[in-house]
Amino acid sequence: MAAATLSKAKRRKQSNFGQDNLVGYLFIGPWLAAFLLFTFIPISVSLLLSFTDYNVLANAGEFIGLDNFQRMFFEDRRYWRSVNATLKYVVFSVPLRLLFALAVAMLLNTYRRGVGVYRAAFYAPSIIGGSIAVAVMWREIFGNDGLVNFTLNVLGIQGPNWLGRPETAIWTLIILAAWQFGSPMLIFLAGLKNIPKHLYESAEIDGANAWQRFLRITLPMLTPIIFFNLIMQLISGFMVFTQAFIVTQGRPLDTTLFYALYVYRRAFEQNEMGYASAMAWVMLMVIALLTALVFRSSSYWVHYEAGEGA
Amino acid sequence: MARIEAKAPAGLSAPRVIRPAVPWYQHQLARSVFYHAVVGVTCFFMLYPILWLVGSSFKPPDEIWTNQTAIIPKDFYPQNYPNGWAGFGGISFATFYRNSLFYATFGTILSVSASAVVAYGFARLRFRGRRIWFAIMLVTLMLPTQVQIIPQYIVFKQLGWLNTFYPLLLPRIGGSAFFIFMIIQFIRSIPVDLDEAAMIDGANKFGIFLRVILPQLTPAIITAAIFSFYWTWDEFLVPLIYLNSPELYLVSLALRTFSDPSGQTDWGAIFAMSALSLLPVFVIFISFQRYLVEGISTTGLKG
Amino acid sequence: MKRSKVLLILLSIAVLVLPTLAVAAQDQTEVRISWWGSQNRHDRTIAAIELYEELNPDIDIVYEFQGWGDHWTKLSTQAAGGELPDIMQHDYARIEEWVANGLLLPLDGYIESGAIDAMSIADASLAGGMVDGQLYGINLGNNSEVFTLDTDAFAAAGLELPPLDWTWTQFEDIATQIQESLGIHGIGVLTSDQLWKSQYMGCCDQWAYAADGMSLGYEDDQPLIDYYNMLLRLQDNGGMQSYEDSVARGDQGVEAQLIVSQEAAMAYHWSNQIVAVWNAAGAERNFVMYPVPRPEGGQSQNYIKPSMFFSVTSQADQPDEAAAFINWFVNSVEANEILEAERGVPISSVVRDALLPNLGAAQAEMFNYLGIIEMDNSPIRPADPAAHSDVISNVFGPEFVEPVMYGMISPEDAAPFLREEANRILGAQ
């Protein structure tokens, strides 16, 4: 999929492809070494295990061909519920998070008194982590008389029992994700800081208003960062685990049984690592495909100062 | 984005109506008040979870579940802090903090510096196999750790590294795929003319990386450091598997070791230690984020 | 300039806090042990271990501990890596799966030789650790299901306390009346798989699983259907907390039981949890423990269940030393004065008698309750089959309890489906 982004370089590539072979490998050497030493074997093994019925406690398994895939696609009702929950989460949480993150980053990208405090406040929900206290906290907030329903009440709306209803439970996790927009926000802030000030100065001289400056300068200059955030939010959206693990445990009626949570359960509660690996690899294929599509689209909308294939 | 739109017309329309009577700085003041009001109220909602956590950490044991929604405890009970800090069987949180600070600091330095080096390789150098390695690197992000843990455990067991920090730290010599990709995107938005100018001055690739690229990466590196510190601080699955001796436990592990759903749990102590565990992450954030605000304009090089 | 300063400060912090990377080797015999629990259990167990090391200077007990869920993730990884500790804390619902995979050692030899002294331990207390006729776990505390009643709430509602052999009909009336007169629930949800497993003992002297674990052990779905119809009635009239509400609150441990916050007048839990419940509710509250209600004309469905075991793993380097430690752990009065029955009522009668005079109110109630159960109970049932966790987490919960309690399917339709799916999984083991 990297091929897609870098493919614009084809013309230049002809002339100078491979000119930095030695230096290039020196620079990526640390990653390559760590990959070959520590990651390559576990990943390959997990691929092999996905064609077996490997059980963790037995520490043994037999080659069973495509049975795991047959089972997940045609026999496992919970599998499809987990697909359903994950897709719903990705479709809503990724755009929401990105939108919040960009909006707040724009709002906080000024030098004003107290802006550091505000940034910390907006980043705060993103650092509260996965401890057991956090589960209690989120449940309290979405509880019958918690913060969310209290606020709705002030606005004259009778809030539902968020975490108890199959229609609303997943929304608490989506809202939670939108709430925790701190990391994409910070990346946007860093990206905004990298936009050369002189571009704005000359635009102002040309009489562009704030909205025009945003459309003509900020947005295009930020596309590499938007692209990065989109890819990463997509990947982490599909792999979402902690929120469901600590807050809902997949309930009710499997409406929040995220894919990675189901993989974990099969792997460590039923010890069916072979089946879990097969599920994980199916998800990998889906994410890889989507990522490749986004990469392919990037040549139409991502703007690199350094030129396309630098 | 909606907020940005809303703010601009408000600012523009105000002076048109009252310009004759009000000098411009009051108009600025109005804008400022408006800004702080909007952002401040939103902040309360953002901070609520933390306020609740801190509030609950001062509730006595028989109030935690009987007065659950309140932020301010009826009885102020600071004893939760020493109770929690005591840890387990004489191994206190002082030990866990020492371990976590060590791990998060070294882990962050390793991850971030390696990521910057590797990112430069991918972003600016043209070598055979670049795309395929980059693709493989992204794919490693797409497989859940849970299905890699057992083979990885066996690898580290063969290396004799169980119950040490090596399995946690050494894989970081290659950086992290997330930060590598992120820094690549930042490097690619830096114009190449600077590289070329430096090249004409006789700099080699290392020189360009150190003297041209690196100084412009400050915002990206600061951001990566903030994330890396927090993610390392919060990590639990891998430390759980590799660290056996309680003397090596991290804060994140210790927090999960407090409670037993079927036994007696000191929730006050959990809340207290959870609240306290946010502190280092917060301090790192506060002290680093200012580099994303003021400071040296890294883009000044060009302008 | 600032950046290098920050880096310097960070580096110096890191060096200052640099912990020892490896654990020093010793010439003592090392026995590794791993358990799950909460802070209270960790403190007590470590103190007991320190005492043991003092008494046995040639032994070094190397311990690991973690929370409940993490325990199994960690230990199954260690099992696959051949790195299990000598002693591991084990659970009734999982032990058979571990035995089936050859990961635990039978302890019968140690009992015969007296290395683990069973003189003051009733056979019934050991029976829970038997799998296929051999002993794989030493019970660390007796436990039984309990209905805890808030006597003040009963008084406020003008209700008499029921007889100890109360029936489900009486229970339903009480729960309904509490809701009517006090406006609080009678009890929290009663959909635990534990109640399903033991429920057939009351009416039919059967267990949820067949003796060979290859199928369900009951023939008639009707008692299960009747039971869930009762739960639906109670859910409707508020006599029981709604399932929806229990999902919303989540599984937050014993302290979050409705009886603690006075949102219910009764609670269903394990007997050793009374200490946590009472502690969270406040010492001024008054509770009394009751057996599980029985069907009209039926027998008790309570049985004495090991709260947890210590097992010796087949990967142990020092099985003999491990057995010696377990022996001390269950039989020594000194050890149990430190442990204070936190894992349930001790199985040794000598230890029990020694602890009795110094018990707190909650613990005294627990000891007393176990005494009642010992006089009227069902025989201990075989450990759960290896596929138990699969049946519960993939069928019983998501395909039976949840759809029934959310009203998506009737108990009449769900019960045969549960049977069919559970039998398929059990039969495929």
Side-chain angles (χ1 to χ4, degrees):
Chain A
M1 73 218 50
T5 13
L6 309 174
S7 73
K8 293 294 291 263
K10 263 178 194 143
R11 275 159 290 121
R12 276 178 73 178
K13 181 188 87 178
Q14 246 70 41
S15 56
N16 56 8
F17 186 80
Q19 68 177 23
D20 296 325
N21 268 344
L22 181 64
V23 192
Y25 274 92
L26 272 178
F27 269 93
I28 71 155
W31 173 77
L32 205 55
F35 170 74
L36 294 175
L37 280 172
F38 305 120
T39 317
F40 179 68
I41 295 175
I43 287 191
S44 320
V45 170
S46 80
L47 180 58
L48 290 178
L49 289 184
S50 67
F51 300 102
T52 69
D53 61 358
Y54 178 85
N55 177 295
V56 178
L57 290 184
N59 195 17
E62 276 174 31
F63 182 74
I64 53 167
L66 296 175
D67 283 10
N68 283 331
F69 301 93
Q70 152 97 14
R71 176 180 168 197
M72 107 184 54
F73 293 143
F74 303 109
E75 291 154 28
D76 191 341
R77 296 152 57 107
R78 301 192 84 200
Y79 174 80
W80 287 107
R81 290 183 211 148
S82 77
V83 169
N84 207 349
T86 312
L87 284 179
K88 198 165 171 187
Y89 175 84
V90 170
V91 165
F92 289 103
S93 77
V94 173
L96 271 178
R97 252 172 107 115
L98 290 177
L99 221 61
F100 275 125
L102 183 58
V104 174
M106 294 292 300
L107 205 58
L108 296 184
N109 186 41
T110 54
Y111 183 64
R112 277 176 204 266
R113 196 178 294 276
V115 85
V117 176
Y118 290 147
R119 285 179 177 188
F122 282 105
Y123 189 62
S126 310
I127 58 160
I128 46 191
S131 89
I132 211 115
V134 175
V136 179
M137 181 167 73
W138 287 122
R139 287 193 166 275
E140 198 282 318
I141 288 170
F142 287 100
N144 251 342
D145 38 8
L147 174 75
V148 174
N149 277 357
F150 179 80
T151 314
L152 287 176
N153 224 352
V154 170
L155 303 172
I157 303 165
Q158 172 66 45
N161 194 351
W162 289 90
L163 285 154
R165 296 301 311 163
E167 318 77 71
T168 51
I170 191 157
W171 285 98
T172 62
L173 298 186
I174 292 169
I175 294 170
L176 202 121
W179 205 330
Q180 297 184 307
F181 58 74
S183 46
M185 173 191 83
L186 221 53
I187 299 173
F188 279 134
L189 271 176
L192 288 171
K193 180 143 176 56
N194 258 18
I195 300 175
K197 299 288 166 291
H198 68 93
L199 292 180
Y200 289 107
E201 283 152 19
S202 44
E204 223 152 338
I205 293 165
D206 294 347
N209 67 25
W211 178 239
Q212 287 166 331
R213 289 199 298 272
F214 174 73
L215 279 186
R216 286 192 210 147
I217 302 168
T218 314
L219 216 48
M221 293 298 287
L222 212 54
T223 48
I225 305 304
I226 296 176
F227 173 68
F228 169 79
N229 271 336
L230 176 62
I231 296 273
M232 282 303 151
Q233 292 305 319
L234 212 54
I235 295 178
S236 65
F238 274 99
M239 313 239 316
V240 58
F241 173 77
T242 315
Q243 285 98 329
F245 182 62
I246 63 168
V247 184
T248 63
Q249 279 120 29
R251 300 196 298 168
L253 290 165
D254 290 341
T255 49
T256 61
L257 181 71
F258 290 143
Y259 203 101
L261 178 62
Y262 193 43
V263 169
Y264 171 79
R265 292 233 171 120
R266 284 288 177 185
F268 285 103
E269 281 175 22
Q270 276 85 62
N271 296 306
E272 297 175 286
M273 191 58 85
Y275 188 46
S277 300
M279 286 198 275
W281 274 88
V282 168
M283 177 163 73
L284 181 144
M285 296 297 173
V286 172
I287 306 177
L289 194 75
L290 280 173
T291 311
L293 284 177
V294 178
F295 262 93
R296 202 158 279 279
S297 79
S298 71
S299 56
Y300 298 102
W301 61 276
V302 179
H303 168 83
Y304 289 111
E305 270 301 279
E308 297 303 339
Chain B
M1 238 180 301
R3 281 199 199 94
I4 308 292
E5 275 181 272
K7 199 164 67 92
L12 288 174
S13 60
R16 244 176 254 140
V17 186
I18 41 176
R19 178 170 294 189
V22 182
W24 66 272
Y25 60 83
Q26 282 197 2
H27 157 224
Q28 280 297 100
L29 186 72
R31 273 183 73 145
S32 185
V33 166
F34 181 76
Y35 179 89
H36 286 288
V38 169
V39 180
V41 168
T42 323
C43 272
F44 171 76
F45 282 92
M46 301 307 289
L47 280 174
Y48 179 86
I50 290 183
L51 296 178
W52 184 85
L53 181 63
V54 173
S56 291
S57 74
F58 288 105
K59 290 176 187 168
D62 56 1
E63 197 186 318
I64 285 180
W65 296 103
T66 52
N67 184 24
Q68 209 193 336
T69 42
I71 286 190
I72 298 161
K74 278 187 259 182
D75 291 322
F76 184 72
Y77 188 76
Q79 188 58 29
N80 286 329
Y81 280 83
N83 286 352
W85 186 264
F88 316 102
I91 306 160
S92 79
F93 265 76
T95 307
F96 308 141
Y97 270 87
R98 200 188 57 179
N99 294 337
S100 277
L101 283 176
F102 160 77
Y103 176 45
T105 309
F106 266 131
T108 299
I109 292 172
L110 267 178
S111 276
V112 175
S113 47
S115 296
V117 171
V118 174
Y120 176 74
F122 275 122
R124 280 288 207 258
L125 301 177
R126 317 197 47 76
F127 53 90
R128 248 169 246 286
R130 179 178 68 155
R131 290 172 202 175
I132 192 77
W133 288 124
F134 180 76
I136 289 174
M137 186 187 77
L138 273 196
V139 167
T140 60
L141 285 174
M142 301 171 190
L143 195 66
T145 331
Q146 289 99 324
V147 299
Q148 302 177 46
I149 258 203
I150 286 183
Q152 199 171 52
Y153 184 80
I154 294 169
V155 169
F156 284 121
K157 185 202 160 180
Q158 297 302 327
L159 293 168
W161 289 352
L162 299 184
N163 203 22
T164 70
F165 276 97
Y166 296 133
L168 283 69
L169 282 173
L170 285 181
R172 291 168 181 259
I173 58 166
S176 113
F178 184 96
F179 298 138
I180 294 173
F181 184 23
M182 186 179 97
I183 297 171
I184 287 177
Q185 291 305 97
F186 276 89
I187 295 179
R188 293 187 72 189
S189 41
I190 299 170
V192 278
D193 358 347
L194 290 172
D195 301 33
E196 279 155 12
M199 202 122 69
I200 293 163
D201 290 348
N204 62 15
K205 300 288 180 191
F206 296 96
I208 294 172
F209 172 64
L210 284 176
R211 279 185 279 125
V212 180
I213 301 294
L214 207 52
Q216 303 201 65
L217 286 180
T218 314
I221 286 181
I222 293 293
T223 310
I226 292 174
F227 291 161
S228 178
F229 188 88
Y230 165 57
W231 287 338
T232 314
W233 186 263
D234 201 43
E235 190 181 10
F236 74 85
L237 188 59
V238 177
L240 168 77
I241 300 296
Y242 292 107
L243 303 176
N244 292 338
S245 312
E247 292 81 14
L248 300 183
Y249 282 10
L250 305 175
V251 173
S252 56
L253 277 186
L255 285 177
R256 294 173 62 85
T257 306
F258 258 109
S259 77
D260 178 5
S262 65
Q264 194 180 337
T265 301
D266 187 347
W267 286 94
I270 294 186
F271 288 139
M273 288 304 104
S274 298
L276 201 61
S277 80
L278 301 181
L279 204 62
V281 183
F282 231 74
V283 168
I284 291 285
F285 177 82
I286 298 278
S287 48
F288 277 40
Q289 66 88 27
R290 78 173 79 140
Y291 293 99
L292 302 178
V293 176
E294 23 153 310
I296 341 100
S297 169
T298 53
T299 47
L301 270 170
K302 192 175 179 188
Chain C
M1 42 109 196
K2 267 183 185 166
R3 192 148 34 96
S4 58
K5 218 172 179 180
V6 170
L7 204 70
L8 201 74
I9 294 167
L10 283 179
L11 268 172
S12 46
I13 292 174
V15 173
L16 271 177
V17 299
L18 184 86
T20 43
L21 279 171
V23 179
Q26 277 149 1
D27 46 350
Q28 295 161 307
T29 309
E30 241 184 47
V31 179
R32 265 178 70 208
I33 180 171
S34 187
W35 69 86
W36 77 82
S38 60
Q39 188 189 30
N40 186 16
R41 181 175 302 158
H42 305 323
D43 283 344
R44 293 178 188 282
T45 311
I46 293 169
I49 286 173
E50 280 164 0
L51 175 62
Y52 187 77
E53 288 175 330
E54 220 170 275
L55 299 169
N56 302 274
D58 53 328
I59 303 291
D60 178 23
I61 308 266
V62 177
Y63 52 83
E64 299 158 30
F65 50 83
Q66 46 276 321
W68 158 260
D70 292 344
H71 181 76
W72 299 105
T73 307
K74 181 164 187 173
L75 274 282
S76 27
T77 307
Q78 291 181 336
E83 283 289 323
L84 282 176
D86 298 84
I87 305 172
M88 68 179 283
Q89 191 168 299
H90 227 292
D91 176 59
Y92 191 62
R94 303 205 181 213
I95 195 163
E96 177 152 334
E97 193 179 4
W98 282 63
V99 171
N101 286 301
L103 293 166
L104 303 181
L105 283 186
L107 301 170
D108 306 77
Y110 294 111
I111 300 280
E112 279 155 32
S113 73
I116 296 177
D117 178 8
M119 287 289 284
S120 52
I121 300 172
D123 283 352
S125 295
L126 284 180
M130 304 289 280
V131 178
D132 302 331
Q134 285 187 297
L135 183 67
Y136 287 96
I138 301 293
N139 181 1
L140 297 180
N142 281 333
N143 233 356
S144 195
E145 293 162 89
V146 60
F147 276 60
T148 293
L149 277 50
D150 179 342
T151 52
D152 299 331
F154 270 67
L159 288 170
E160 297 274 313
L161 288 179
L164 279 175
D165 60 351
W166 60 333
T167 63
W168 284 112
T169 319
Q170 284 172 310
F171 163 78
E172 188 179 352
D173 285 347
I174 290 172
T176 310
Q177 286 175 34
I178 287 169
Q179 158 67 22
E180 281 165 5
S181 51
L182 299 181
I184 62 173
H185 297 302
I187 197 161
V189 284
L190 291 174
T191 53
S192 147
D193 61 281
Q194 184 57 44
L195 281 164
W196 171 62
K197 286 196 302 190
S198 61
Q199 137 171 48
Y200 275 86
M201 294 208 281
C203 65
C204 327
D205 205 19
Q206 286 168 335
W207 182 242
Y209 298 114
D212 64 1
M214 299 296 283
S215 65
L216 290 185
Y218 57 89
E219 283 98 49
D220 185 6
D221 286 331
Q222 199 53 44
L224 179 65
I225 294 169
D226 293 344
Y227 177 71
Y228 270 84
N229 277 321
M230 176 189 79
L231 294 190
L232 289 173
R233 286 195 301 276
L234 285 172
Q235 171 168 267
D236 282 346
N237 68 22
M240 183 183 81
Q241 170 197 26
S242 73
Y243 189 77
E244 178 184 311
D245 187 42
S246 96
V247 168
R249 290 168 188 254
D251 189 10
Q252 301 186 339
V254 195
E255 286 85 356
Q257 293 249 6
L258 296 183
I259 198 170
V260 169
S261 45
Q262 290 175 298
E263 293 170 271
M266 297 182 276
Y268 163 77
H269 52 85
W270 288 108
S271 54
N272 67 334
Q273 298 171 339
I274 185 67
V275 181
V277 167
W278 214 317
N279 201 42
E284 73 285 357
R285 304 276 298 276
N286 294 294
F287 298 123
V288 51
M289 296 166 86
Y290 267 69
V292 180
R294 55 189 67 191
E296 215 71 54
Q299 56 171 355
S300 165
Q301 74 178 62
N302 271 90
Y303 62 103
I304 292 182
K305 187 209 134 206
S307 63
M308 59 203 79
F309 305 106
F310 269 160
S311 294
V312 178
T313 72
S314 59
Q315 296 166 5
D317 296 326
Q318 305 291 345
D320 297 349
E321 292 302 342
F325 175 76
I326 295 175
N327 176 51
W328 179 80
F329 200 85
V330 294
N331 279 314
S332 152
V333 172
E334 272 178 298
N336 283 280
E337 277 171 348
I338 297 174
L339 297 168
E340 274 192 345
E342 185 273 328
R343 285 177 168 88
V345 175
I347 56 171
S348 152
S349 54
V350 176
V351 169
R352 262 197 317 261
D353 293 344
L355 293 189
L356 266 176
N358 302 317
L359 296 175
Q363 281 185 318
E365 181 64 29
M366 167 174 92
F367 274 58
N368 176 43
Y369 176 70
L370 257 292
I372 294 171
I373 296 303
E374 266 174 16
M375 294 200 288
D376 179 18
N377 61 45
S378 287
I380 181 94
R381 295 292 153 164
D384 294 326
H388 168 68
S389 121
D390 199 355
V391 170
I392 296 304
S393 50
N394 291 314
V395 182
F396 183 75
E399 308 286 4
F400 179 78
V401 172
E402 296 217 324
V404 167
M405 296 311 288
Y406 275 104
M408 300 177 66
I409 184 172
S410 69
E412 285 78 2
D413 292 335
F417 184 70
L418 166 66
R419 165 183 300 281
E420 187 186 313
E421 286 290 297
N423 279 339
R424 193 175 55 76
I425 291 175
L426 292 164
Q429 289 177 77

